[in-house]
C-alpha cells in the first residue's frame, strides 16, 4: 500500500470572517474537496457577514480542477426582471439606491452553490450548508465590522420593519461579541438544503420574495426567479511576467485588473522601490487608464459588443503606458459605487483551487428583508443607468455592470496565486497591489495584504476623485503625489475603506501560504 509523503501545508482557506474560514476547514477535514469547502464558506459568509453578503445577492467564481487542468468561470449574477424598464422610473434622475424599487435583479448566489457543487463537489449540498444553518439558527458573535456598519446604517435598517427585527433586535444595535440569531434565515437555508436550488427559484422562497416585492412596489416576479440560470464561461485572460492571469469575464470588471498589470509590465518595477512615489503613481495611473475603458464599455455582453481582445492586448497596453507621465496625473471620471463584498479562496491537497467573491452591493444591500424568509436583498440593479444612450442602461433580462472580480494567477498551467478583495472601485486597485507585491517584490501573501494601501476615486457611494492613502505611507511619497496633481486625503493606518483582501500563494514547492486582511474579521487556515 502506497502512502502519500507529507510535504508541508497542502490545504488553505482564507476568508474575511474566521467562522467562515473554520467552516471551510471543517468540510475539508470531513473529506470534502476545495469546491465543497468553498460552498460552505460562501454559505457561512451569507450568515455571519450579513452586512456584506447574503442569499439575496450575487457571486462570481473562478475554479481550477486538477482533473481538468483548466480554469473556468461561473457567473452567478442575476438578470433584471421582465418588468424592469426605464419607463418604470419615468421622471426620476436615477434608480433608487435602497428599498424595494432598487431590487431589480434576481439573486444568483444560490444557483452558484448548486452549480459548483453539482459540477465538482464530493459531498451533498445539505452537508455543506450545515455550518451556515447552525450559525443562523443558534446564533454567532457579532463581529466588530458588523457592529460598526450596523451603527452607521441603523436609521436605514430601522425604516424596514422585517430588517430591523433581525439586525436591530429590541431596537438596539447589537454590540460586538453579542449573540445574533437569524431564525428565519436558518429556516430558508434548511429548505435549500432539503430541496436544492429549486426551493429558491421555483419554490416557496422565490414565491415569498417576489410576492413581498410586488406588494411593496418592487418589480421582480416569480416568473423572473423561475427563469434564472447562471452560466459557465471562459475566463478573461492575460499574462504578467511569466504568470497567466485569469479573471471573471464581463459583466464583471475583472478585465481591468489584467489591463493594469499589462500596462505595468512595460516598467521595471524591481528597479523602483516599493512604497516610493514612483510605485504608487505608476500603479494608480495604470489603473485609472484601465477604469476609463471599463466605464466606456462594461455591461452585459449579451447587449453590447465589448472589445475585450483589443483591451487585453499587449500592444494596447503599450499604447496606454505611453500616456503616463511621471510628473502629472490623468483625469478620469468618477461616479458613486457601492463596495461591500466578501472575497474568499480555498485550495485543497489534490490541487483544486477556488477563488470567489459575493456581495449585496451596498452595505446591507437594498435593506429590504423579504417577508418571512430572513433574506436581505441586494440593490445591484440600482447601478443600471436610465440614460437611453448609456451602455449600461436598464433593460429587461439584462445583467448590470458588476464590480465583483475574483482572480487567479497560474504558473506552468497550475494555480499559483488566488487573490481578491472587497471594495467596488478598490477591487482592481488592491488586486494590482497584491500581484505586484507578490511577483515583483517577492512578498509573502500576508505581508502583501497588510502593507499600506491606497484607494482612488469612487466607492461606498462617494462621487469624488480623491486619492485616499493610509497614514503608514511615507510622507515624501505623499508629498510628491500631491505635487503631481493627486487629490490626496490621508486616512487611518489600517482603514476599512481599503477593503478586506485575502490571498493564497502556492509555491513552486507546493506549499500553500495564506494572507488575510488585518482590516477585516478574517482568518487564514491551512495544514
Amino acid at each position: 500500500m502506497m502512502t502519500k509523503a507529507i510535504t508541508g501545508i497542502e490545504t488553505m482557506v482564507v476568508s474575511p470572517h474566521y467562522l467562515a474560514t473554520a467552516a471551510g476547514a471543517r468540510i475539508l477535514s470531513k473529506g470534502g474537496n476545495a469546491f465543497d469547502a468553498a460552498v460552505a464558506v460562501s454559505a457561512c459568509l451569507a450568515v455571519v457577514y450579513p452586512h456584506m453578503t447574503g442569499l439575496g445577492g450575487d457571486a462570481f467564481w473562478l475554479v481550477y480542477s486538477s482533473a481538468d487542468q483548466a480554469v473556468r468561470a461561473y457567473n452567478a449574477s442575476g438578470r433584471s426582471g421582465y418588468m424592469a424598464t426605464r419607463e418604470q422610473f419615468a421622471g426620476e434622475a436615477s434608480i433608487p439606491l435602497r428599498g424595494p424599487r432598487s431590487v431589480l435583479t434576481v439573486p444568483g448566489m444560490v444557483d452558484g452553490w448548486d452549480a459548483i457543487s453539482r459540477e465538482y463537489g464530493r459531498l451533498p449540498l445539505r452537508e455543506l450548508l450545515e455550518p451556515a444553518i447552525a450559525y443562523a439558527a443558534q446564533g454567532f458573535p457579532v463581529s466588530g465590522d458588523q457592529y460598526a456598519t450596523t451603527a452607521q446604517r441603523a436609521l436605514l435598517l430601522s425604516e424596514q420593519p422585517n430588517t430591523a427585527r433581525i439586525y436591530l433586535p429590541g431596537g438596539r444595535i447589537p454590540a460586538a461579541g453579542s449573540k445574533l440569531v437569524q431564525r428565519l434565515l436558518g429556516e430558508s437555508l434548511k429548505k435549500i438544503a432539503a430541496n436544492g436550488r429549486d426551493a429558491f427559484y421555483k419554490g416557496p422562497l422565490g414565491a415569498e420574495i417576489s410576492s413581498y416585492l410586488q406588494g411593496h412596489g418592487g418589480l421582480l416576479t416569480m416568473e423572473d426567479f423561475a427563469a434564472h440560470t447562471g452560466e459557465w464561461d471562459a475566463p478573461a485572460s492575460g499574462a504578467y511576467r511569466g504568470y497567466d492571469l485569469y479573471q471573471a469575464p464581463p459583466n464583471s470588471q475583472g478585465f481591468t485588473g489584467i489591463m493594469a498589470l499589462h500596462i505595468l509590465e512595460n516598467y521595471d518595477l524591481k528597479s523602483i522601490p516599493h512604497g516610493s512615489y514612483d510605485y504608487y503613481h505608476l500603479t494608480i495611473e495604470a489603473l485609472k487608464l484601465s477604469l476609463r475603458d471599463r466605464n466606456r464599455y462594461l455591461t452585459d455582453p449579451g447587449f453590447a459588443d465589448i472589445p475585450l481582445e483589443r483591451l487585453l492586448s499587449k500592444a494596447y497596453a503599450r499604447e496606454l503606458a505611453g500616456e503616463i507621465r511621471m510628473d502629472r496625473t490623468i483625469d478620469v471620471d468618477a461616479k458613486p459605487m457601492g463596495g461591500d463584498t466578501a472575497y474568499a479562496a480555498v485550495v485543497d491537497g489534490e490541487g483544486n483551487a477556488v477563488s470567489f467573491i459575493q456581495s449585496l452591493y451596498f452595505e446591507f444591500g437594498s435593506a429590504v428583508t423579504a417577508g418571512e424568509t430572513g433574506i436581505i436583498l441586494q440593490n445591484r440593479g440600482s447601478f443600471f443607468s436610465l440614460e437611453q444612450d448609456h451602455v449600461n442602461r436598464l433593460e429587461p433580462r439584462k445583467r448590470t455592470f458588476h464590480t465583483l472580480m475574483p482572480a487567479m494567477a497560474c504558473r506552468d498551467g497550475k494555480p499559483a496565486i488566488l487573490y481578491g478583495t472587497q471594495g467596488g472601485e478598490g477591487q482592481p486597485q488592491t488586486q494590482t497591489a497584491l500581484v505586484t507585491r507578490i511577483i515583483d517584490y517577492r512578498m509573502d501573501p500576508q505581508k502583501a495584504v497588510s502593507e499600506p494601501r491606497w484607494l482612488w476615486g469612487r466607492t461606498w457611494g462617494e462621487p469624488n476623485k480623491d486619492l485616499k492613502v493610509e497614514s503608514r505611507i511615507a510622507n515624501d511619497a505623499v508629498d510628491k503625489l500631491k505635487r503631481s496633481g493627486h487629490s490626496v486625503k490621508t486616512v487611518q493606518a489600517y482603514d476599512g475603506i481599503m477593503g478586506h483582501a485575502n490571498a493564497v500563494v502556492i509555491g513552486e514547492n507546493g506549499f500553500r501560504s495564506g494572507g488575510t486582511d488585518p482590516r477585516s474579521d478574517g482568518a487564514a487556515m491551512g495544514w
Side-chain angles (χ1 to χ4, degrees), residues 388-409:
Q388 169 63 32
D389 59 351
H390 196 287
V391 69
N392 195 49
R393 63 184 174 271
L394 177 63
E395 298 174 80
R397 300 291 296 154
K398 184 177 185 178
R399 284 175 164 142
T400 186
F401 169 131
H402 232 296
T403 52
L404 299 187
M405 49 181 291
M408 190 180 299

Side-chain angles (χ1 to χ4, degrees), residues 30-90:
K30 292 176 65 175
N33 57 23
F35 310 104
D36 295 317
V39 171
V41 171
S42 175
C44 271
L45 286 171
V47 173
V48 301
Y49 241 32
H51 54 305
M52 297 288 179
T53 180
L55 277 68
D58 285 343
F60 284 82
W61 301 74
L62 282 183
V63 302
Y64 174 89
S65 164
S66 59
D68 299 339
Q69 297 189 5
V71 179
R72 298 175 73 193
Y74 192 79
N75 186 334
S77 69
R79 297 175 179 83
S80 56
Y82 288 103
M83 294 170 58
T85 65
R86 294 187 298 283
E87 287 71 27
Q88 297 279 3
F89 301 91

Side-chain angles (χ1 to χ4, degrees), residues 332-486:
V332 175
D333 287 338
K335 299 176 183 178
M337 179 181 291
D340 286 290
T341 306
Y343 170 81
V346 182
V347 177
D348 65 23
E350 300 168 26
N352 301 307
V354 185
S355 176
F356 68 99
I357 192 166
Q358 56 196 60
S359 176
L360 291 169
Y361 192 37
F362 281 22
E363 67 287 341
F364 289 106
S366 65
V368 175
T369 300
E372 297 299 303
T373 65
I375 297 173
I376 197 164
L377 300 171
Q378 66 183 356
N379 61 332
R380 182 67 60 173
S382 67
F383 196 66
F384 279 118
S385 173
L386 296 179
E387 298 174 14
Q388 169 63 32
D389 59 351
H390 196 287
V391 69
N392 195 49
R393 63 184 174 271
L394 177 63
E395 298 174 80
R397 300 291 296 154
K398 184 177 185 178
R399 284 175 164 142
T400 186
F401 169 131
H402 232 296
T403 52
L404 299 187
M405 49 181 291
M408 190 180 299
C410 292
R411 181 183 53 243
D412 300 327
K414 295 182 179 180
I417 312 171
L418 283 68
Y419 57 103
T421 183
Q422 167 213 66
E425 193 92 322
Q427 291 186 41
Q429 301 182 55
T430 294
Q431 284 194 9
T432 301
L434 295 179
V435 172
T436 55
R437 289 168 176 173
I438 291 170
I439 294 178
D440 294 290
Y441 297 103
R442 313 299 292 177
M443 294 184 191
D444 65 67
Q446 186 59 62
K447 183 173 177 57
V449 166
S450 301
E451 282 286 291
R453 294 213 294 268
W454 73 90
L455 177 64
W456 175 85
R458 62 186 184 184
T459 193
W460 276 268
E462 298 178 6
N464 62 59
K465 300 179 183 180
D466 290 342
L467 173 62
K468 300 176 183 67
V469 298
E470 290 186 321
S471 60
R472 294 176 293 141
I473 292 178
N475 289 335
D476 63 333
V478 172
D479 291 342
K480 288 180 182 178
L481 287 167
K482 290 178 179 177
R483 289 199 297 270
S484 64
H486 295 279

Side-chain angles (χ1 to χ4, degrees), residues 258-277:
I258 298 174
M259 286 182 67
L261 289 169
H262 281 180
I263 294 169
L264 290 174
E265 200 171 32
N266 291 279
Y267 299 88
D268 181 14
L269 289 190
K270 289 181 179 179
S271 69
I272 297 172
H274 179 266
S276 65
Y277 162 79

Side-chain angles (χ1 to χ4, degrees), residues 107-452:
M109 185 177 300
V110 173
D111 170 80
W113 296 345
D114 176 81
I116 300 301
S117 179
R118 188 183 302 272
E119 189 82 359
Y120 295 109
R122 184 176 295 153
L123 303 179
L125 182 62
R126 57 177 170 75
E127 195 167 343
L128 308 182
L129 299 186
E130 284 178 358
I133 291 170
Y135 290 134
Q138 300 169 24
F140 64 94
V142 171
S143 70
D145 195 71
Q146 182 182 339
Y147 166 76
T149 305
T150 304
Q152 181 185 24
R153 296 299 179 188
L155 178 60
L156 170 72
L157 300 177
S158 69
E159 294 170 350
Q160 298 289 335
N162 290 348
T163 304
R165 277 194 293 272
I166 300 169
Y167 300 110
L168 297 172
R172 296 186 297 272
I173 300 166
S178 64
K179 184 177 182 179
L180 183 68
V181 175
Q182 299 172 86
R183 181 183 60 82
L184 293 176
L185 181 59
E187 293 301 318
S188 293
L189 283 164
K190 288 178 183 178
K191 291 174 182 175
I192 296 168
N195 300 299
R197 75 181 298 280
D198 282 356
F200 191 87
Y201 296 102
K202 298 180 180 179
L205 297 179
E208 175 80 1
I209 293 170
S210 58
S211 175
Y212 182 88
L213 290 172
Q214 290 280 293
H216 291 79
L219 298 177
L220 287 183
T221 68
M222 188 61 189
E223 184 181 10
D224 298 323
F225 276 78
H228 175 74
T229 181
E231 294 176 354
W232 287 103
D233 203 350
S237 60
Y240 182 73
R241 307 200 198 282
Y243 289 76
D244 295 317
L245 306 173
Y246 296 98
Q247 293 273 2
N251 56 313
S252 164
Q253 69 169 340
F255 66 88
T256 59
I258 298 174
M259 286 182 67
L261 289 169
H262 281 180
I263 294 169
L264 290 174
E265 200 171 32
N266 291 279
Y267 299 88
D268 181 14
L269 289 190
K270 289 181 179 179
S271 69
I272 297 172
H274 179 266
S276 65
Y277 162 79
D278 286 356
Y279 171 75
Y280 290 119
H281 181 73
L282 275 176
T283 52
I284 292 162
E285 297 301 284
L287 282 152
K288 286 161 66 176
L289 290 167
S290 305
L291 295 170
R292 183 178 67 185
D293 277 333
R294 180 205 63 181
N295 295 346
R296 183 180 301 159
Y297 295 114
L298 184 57
T299 189
D300 186 334
F303 287 73
D305 291 327
I306 301 174
L308 202 57
E309 184 176 352
R310 180 176 72 85
L311 294 175
L312 295 179
S313 73
K314 293 296 184 76
Y316 185 56
R318 286 192 294 272
E319 181 182 324
L320 292 177
E323 295 188 40
I324 296 177
R325 298 291 179 268
M326 294 306 296
D327 60 346
R328 62 179 184 269
T329 65
I330 298 166
D331 188 37
V332 175
D333 287 338
K335 299 176 183 178
M337 179 181 291
D340 286 290
T341 306
Y343 170 81
V346 182
V347 177
D348 65 23
E350 300 168 26
N352 301 307
V354 185
S355 176
F356 68 99
I357 192 166
Q358 56 196 60
S359 176
L360 291 169
Y361 192 37
F362 281 22
E363 67 287 341
F364 289 106
S366 65
V368 175
T369 300
E372 297 299 303
T373 65
I375 297 173
I376 197 164
L377 300 171
Q378 66 183 356
N379 61 332
R380 182 67 60 173
S382 67
F383 196 66
F384 279 118
S385 173
L386 296 179
E387 298 174 14
Q388 169 63 32
D389 59 351
H390 196 287
V391 69
N392 195 49
R393 63 184 174 271
L394 177 63
E395 298 174 80
R397 300 291 296 154
K398 184 177 185 178
R399 284 175 164 142
T400 186
F401 169 131
H402 232 296
T403 52
L404 299 187
M405 49 181 291
M408 190 180 299
C410 292
R411 181 183 53 243
D412 300 327
K414 295 182 179 180
I417 312 171
L418 283 68
Y419 57 103
T421 183
Q422 167 213 66
E425 193 92 322
Q427 291 186 41
Q429 301 182 55
T430 294
Q431 284 194 9
T432 301
L434 295 179
V435 172
T436 55
R437 289 168 176 173
I438 291 170
I439 294 178
D440 294 290
Y441 297 103
R442 313 299 292 177
M443 294 184 191
D444 65 67
Q446 186 59 62
K447 183 173 177 57
V449 166
S450 301
E451 282 286 291

